[in-house]
Amino acid sequence: MSTTPKVYLVGGGIGSLAAAAFMIRDGHLPGANIFILEATPILGGSLDGSGDPQAGYSMRGGRMVTTDNYECTWDLYKSIPSLQHDGQSVFEEMIAFNEKHRSNALARLIDRQRAKVPVTSMGFSMQDRLELLKLSRAEEATLDSSCITDWLSPDFFKTAFWYLWSTTFAFQPWHSAIEFKRYLLRFILEFSRIETLAGVKRTIYNQHDSLVLPLQAWLNAQGVHLVPSCIVTDVTHRTDNGDLIITGLTCLRDGAPESICVNGGDLVFIQNASMTDASSLGSMTSAPAKLTKAESYGWRLWETLAEGRPNFGNPAAFNDCIAQSWWESFTVTLKDPGFFDKMFDFSGNEPGTGGLVTFKDSNWLMSIVLAHQPHFLNQPADVQVFWGYALFPDRVGNFVPKAMAECNGAEILSELCGHLRFDPEILATANCIPCRMPYLTSMFMPRQSGDRPLPVPQGSKNLAFISQFVEIPDDCVFTVEYSVRAAQMAVYELLGIDREVPPVSPHAASLATRFRALLKAFK
């Protein structure tokens, strides 16, 4: 392919950053021809993490990673040098770190008596086993538009397995049966170790510092134009023999209007919405604001492009019901080691080895995780940071008489201390920053075939989509891998790169035999 075209990537999340890297590494496109346009001042999208000891640290969340499933992600990061360890790739750095800090959760579930729930038994009945097996073998066409509750009986949602699986992957009973099935197959290796999270791998720092910054530095060195504070508000286009061709982008750059001409041969990659669109932060004294897609250009761009074009997907399948797709997280900054010390005494896990601690009887279904410290590159040695989230933030708390959605950071800490039976004084100097995310699990909403477009939709000449809302057979949304795989597929197709995208690992081969054995093993 000619190296003269310019490429514009709308959105600076991990998908766009990965796409730019694949263009350079595998498509031999000069970095100077690539422009990444990001609406916020910082690149990284949902892989965020920022702050300081004075104002407090904040991150909306962190995606689980494994070395068994992230084929495209590690294909990329084996090529990206570490910023912290000379001579190592980011992949090698992570492997070395996880050899020293292995996951072995000793307090995965906590009940209302503050007792650690034994999880060697998953609590399956024979009916649960039969229904899980039936769901895992069903064709996706059969599962179209159905919810998990359409396939599994009410008692299943009281099992230890459901508490472990749903809080690890953020599933709700009303979510898509297709996505639940895909997770069962894609992460079948985690099925037998979900109680300890032994298969989970961690980055050294938060995922912005460990994954985004090294990739961003590499792209910078290649001459890629990283353009922050640039909101793409609209696209202009024409049709040629029924095919859509993007001809221009309308932007607000640092608040000033700007137009970008997309010439013949140029390419455009758009992040069609984001799970963290319309997020908002609160503070120790205020709850997060309740934003909607009206505050999101990502959804708006996709809706504009999809109107009258069935091959471009159906955004309404994912953004029509905030009540079914939102949850809330919180990040806590500490300058007193007391809380971490008491958590070690209680759980038996050093920070960075335990994973999620879930309060299974919490009305909010609250979980927290204490990562290896420091969790931020600029975090001093005498400061600790931990993160938590709740799957039911619309419910009234067990210890705070209001919904989490209405709570400030101080009230969230009060609820947490109640579940742990810790004296609230231990968090008296803590800074808790809550974050509301109205569309965080929107990609899990029940869907039909065609609701998600292909990375390069049929009828597109120079446009590709990169996000959690494209269709990739057999793979699982709500993962870094999904964004990176979508990027790799789109780049290889539009640039005509003759290199195979790493296939999805066939962990579910001989599924019936393996799944029956696993179900039989768990009581």
Side-chain angles (χ1 to χ4, degrees):
M1 174 175 179
S2 168
T3 57
T4 56
K6 292 181 178 179
V7 180
Y8 300 95
L9 297 116
V10 179
I14 189 64
S16 289
L17 298 175
F22 290 130
M23 291 173 198
I24 296 167
R25 190 193 73 177
D26 301 329
H28 309 295
L29 196 69
N33 287 30
I34 302 171
F35 299 78
I36 300 179
L37 315 176
E38 167 57 34
T40 69
I42 300 173
L43 276 74
S46 299
L47 297 185
D48 65 340
S50 60
D52 57 62
Q54 289 71 43
Y57 291 98
S58 178
M59 51 190 175
R60 287 176 288 194
R63 306 286 79 76
M64 187 192 82
V65 297
T66 76
T67 48
D68 299 308
N69 305 91
Y70 285 53
E71 302 87 1
C72 297
T73 303
W74 304 135
D75 177 51
L76 170 64
Y77 277 103
K78 287 174 182 177
S79 305
I80 305 301
S82 164
L83 291 179
Q84 307 299 317
H85 299 90
D86 290 341
Q88 284 190 340
S89 68
V90 172
F91 175 73
E92 291 168 332
E93 170 187 75
M94 192 200 72
I95 292 298
F97 176 77
N98 281 274
E99 283 297 315
K100 295 181 180 178
H101 307 279
R102 295 177 179 269
S103 298
N104 183 31
L106 302 175
R108 184 62 184 83
L109 295 181
I110 308 301
D111 68 14
R112 68 178 73 251
Q113 280 80 36
R114 191 182 175 263
K116 288 179 271 191
V117 178
V119 288
T120 51
S121 169
M122 296 293 103
F124 291 143
S125 66
M126 181 56 68
Q127 181 176 0
D128 294 330
R129 294 186 180 94
L130 292 174
E131 289 176 347
L132 272 173
L133 187 59
K134 181 180 178 181
L135 171 57
S136 69
R137 301 181 70 182
E139 297 291 334
E140 289 198 357
T142 305
L143 300 174
D144 248 7
S145 299
S146 64
C147 304
I148 303 171
T149 49
D150 294 330
W151 291 82
L152 299 171
S153 299
D155 283 346
F156 172 81
F157 301 98
K158 302 173 186 176
T159 63
F161 174 80
W162 173 252
Y163 281 109
L164 295 169
W165 196 266
S166 66
T167 54
T168 299
F169 299 115
F171 274 108
Q172 301 278 26
W174 54 81
H175 281 156
S176 166
I178 295 176
E179 301 306 330
F180 186 69
K181 176 201 168 179
R182 286 196 183 188
Y183 264 78
L184 289 176
L185 304 192
R186 184 79 154 110
F187 292 100
I188 195 168
L189 296 180
E190 306 313 317
F191 199 96
S192 61
R193 57 195 184 194
I194 192 68
E195 76 278 9
T196 63
L197 299 175
V200 173
K201 301 297 188 293
R202 296 176 173 87
T203 52
I204 297 179
Y205 303 102
N206 67 82
Q207 290 170 346
H208 183 269
D209 289 353
S210 289
L211 295 180
V212 173
L213 290 186
L215 182 52
Q216 183 176 326
W218 188 85
L219 294 174
N220 259 322
Q222 307 302 314
V224 174
H225 301 272
L226 306 177
V227 187
S229 302
C230 181
I231 303 172
V232 177
T233 59
D234 202 0
V235 296
T236 56
H237 53 82
R238 62 182 175 86
T239 55
D240 181 7
N241 293 324
D243 291 332
L244 179 138
I245 300 172
I246 302 296
T247 59
L249 305 174
T250 303
C251 311
L252 283 174
R253 186 170 181 180
D254 293 319
E258 184 176 308
S259 295
I260 297 173
C261 182
V262 179
N263 297 312
D266 291 348
L267 302 175
V268 177
F269 293 73
I270 290 180
Q271 181 178 300
N272 54 314
S274 166
M275 59 185 175
T276 50
D277 275 351
S279 298
S280 56
L281 298 178
S283 69
M284 282 293 284
T285 57
S286 62
K290 297 179 181 179
L291 307 182
T292 69
K293 68 178 183 178
E295 287 81 20
S296 163
Y297 284 103
W299 287 113
R300 199 175 310 168
L301 279 178
W302 186 17
E303 289 172 340
T304 298
L305 289 165
E307 187 173 0
R309 298 183 183 89
N311 291 333
F312 284 54
N314 175 27
F318 307 100
N319 67 16
D320 259 10
C321 189
I322 288 175
Q324 293 181 10
S325 68
W326 79 288
W327 47 263
E328 190 166 322
S329 69
F330 55 96
T331 311
V332 183
T333 304
L334 305 169
K335 296 182 181 179
D336 181 334
F339 182 82
F340 268 56
D341 292 344
K342 286 186 74 68
M343 282 301 298
F344 171 65
D345 291 340
F346 170 66
S347 69
N349 279 115
E350 292 278 3
T353 66
L356 288 170
V357 175
T358 294
F359 304 99
K360 65 177 291 291
D361 298 317
S362 160
N363 290 347
W364 298 350
L365 194 50
M366 177 192 278
S367 300
I368 61 170
V369 58
L370 276 60
H372 181 268
Q373 303 295 301
H375 200 46
F376 289 80
L377 279 168
N378 68 340
Q379 182 181 328
D382 61 348
V383 170
Q384 300 86 39
V385 176
F386 73 93
W387 179 86
Y389 84 101
L391 281 175
F392 299 121
D394 56 335
R395 297 180 179 176
V396 173
N398 302 76
F399 300 93
V400 175
K402 59 200 298 189
M404 184 185 189
E406 310 300 328
C407 287
N408 58 34
E411 291 164 328
I412 291 172
L413 292 180
S414 180
E415 180 77 7
L416 174 60
C417 285
H419 286 290
L420 286 167
R421 306 301 197 270
F422 285 179
D423 188 328
E425 284 300 310
I426 200 169
L427 291 174
T429 60
N431 184 1
C432 176
I433 299 178
C435 178
R436 175 187 170 91
M437 295 170 282
Y439 300 105
L440 197 71
T441 57
S442 55
M443 59 281 181
F444 279 165
M445 293 295 285
R447 60 177 177 82
Q448 300 182 47
S449 175
D451 284 342
R452 300 195 301 216
L454 296 172
V456 180
Q458 184 179 357
S460 169
K461 281 288 189 181
N462 68 341
L463 168 68
F465 290 127
I466 299 175
S467 76
Q468 299 286 312
F469 300 93
V470 299
E471 178 54 38
I472 303 175
D474 302 324
D475 211 353
C476 294
V477 292
F478 209 12
T479 62
V480 174
E481 174 66 11
Y482 206 84
S483 295
V484 176
R485 183 175 291 275
Q488 197 166 16
M489 292 172 64
V491 168
Y492 284 15
E493 183 170 347
L494 282 187
L495 271 67
I497 295 172
D498 187 17
R499 181 178 186 265
E500 183 184 16
V501 175
V504 171
S505 296
H507 295 310
S510 304
L511 170 67
T513 301
R514 179 178 290 188
F515 209 73
R516 284 193 189 102
L518 285 170
L519 290 175
K520 185 177 180 180
F522 290 126
K523 298 179 179 180

